[in-house]
Amino acid sequence: MAKIQAPRGTHDILPPESRHWIEMERRTHELMRRWGFEEIRTPMFESEELFVRGVGQGSDIVRKEMYTFTDKGDRRLSLRPEGTASVARAAVEHGMLQPGRVLKLYYQGPMFRYDRPAAGRYRQFHQMGAEVIGSAAPVADAEIIGVFWAWLLEMGLQGLTVRLNSVGCPVCRPAYRERLRDFLRPKLEWLCGDCKERFEKNPMRILDCKVPGCQAEIVGAPSTLDSLGEECRTHFEEVQACLQAAGIRFEIDPGLVRGLDYYTKTAFEVHHAGLGAQSAVGGGGRYDGLVEEVGGGSSPGVGFSTGLERILLALEADGVAELAPPARPDWFVATVNSDARDEALRLVTALRRRGAAEMDLSGASLKSQFKQADRLGAAKVIVLGPREIERGVAMVRDMATHQENEVPLKELYTGGSESA
Ligand code: AMP
């Protein structure tokens, strides 16, 4: 029969790579605990409406990249393309947003976008992200950029740059959009088809277009920073002051606009020198209108998200080969022949309460059991034979020093001896 392959744009996470994923997740939980963020897990599919309203009708994600389907109950559902809209939806649905309370949440899991697969770009990929909801203060923006920065360092990454911008708010943005349209109008015929469409609906997205022809045309475009209203300008200055106080270096990038429509004021990305064209390891920003957009009261928020596949690529580029070393068994329980099997099973079960223990599962010869133990990097091999069992002892070989000792079985069971 023909082989069935994983769908295009998806990837299996196999051992030993899966070890790195477990380690990334472990470090994430540990770091988030220290920063006071709690985990939230939301469904992998939501009503399509959530993303249309939350991420925005004009965004590439909603226009072109969502996996949307109708279920047997005639509901329009979408696989989640990102995490923030779901977090906002859940926070509203469960009444988590109380006046005067600041929510700090993080999530990790698969996201789905019907994108053209390329290096570091998948149709099912994994994001980790965090949100601070319920504060309009610039220090909340710094908390999000700070936790992202700390997380990246915790993963062992180097060569990172924070790029910062302000995309304004619904009050100052219309004037900016007009200025941008005035700048782009004479160039319209040279822009790509997508950008021609964006010109009316969402001209700021043109600044983010990756088509080289469009990138050439936007050189010299007016900056959002020149059009900020008083409130947005003060906020931007305060965010910078907070980042300086927190010791986080950043560059101002007036061309930085993010692909999702919900951002207001702060927008940021972190780039990694070793990643080439897809150099953003993650980003985020403030979304003061999102909670209202998904049906809640007015509740300002700010968040980031990062792509875990890209983090692993960046680590590879940095030469960090091993996020987590292979787990080596403390003991390999070998048997001289099948008469020792039951004792081996009993002993391996007891040893596994104290550490990592392995035994042969294939009926291999003693010689090949030693080979297995060597391949696994076991620290000690315990050899059980019928005669030794009768005498209540086993031979224990230290694989590093090659020293062999006879050890009473009782000590092996209880861990009562150094030699075991
Ligand atoms: P976004 O939600 O578009 O701001 O993306 C945030 C981060 O998720 C990016 O910086 C990437 O690291 C990652 N990311 C986004 N889209 C993909 C994709 N198709 N494949 C892999 N990673 C992605």
Side-chain angles (χ1 to χ4, degrees), residues 113 115 120-122 125 127 258 260 280-283 305-307 310:
R113 293 184 195 173
D115 208 341
R121 195 164 61 214
Y122 299 93
F125 58 100
Q127 282 190 341
R258 307 264 308 138
L260 299 87
V281 288
S305 72
T306 179
R310 243 170 255 180

Side-chain angles (χ1 to χ4, degrees), residues 20-33:
H20 303 311
W21 286 81
I22 293 172
E23 179 60 15
M24 273 199 293
E25 286 159 16
R26 192 193 65 73
R27 291 188 198 181
T28 301
H29 294 309
E30 169 56 21
L31 178 100
M32 290 297 173
R33 187 187 61 75

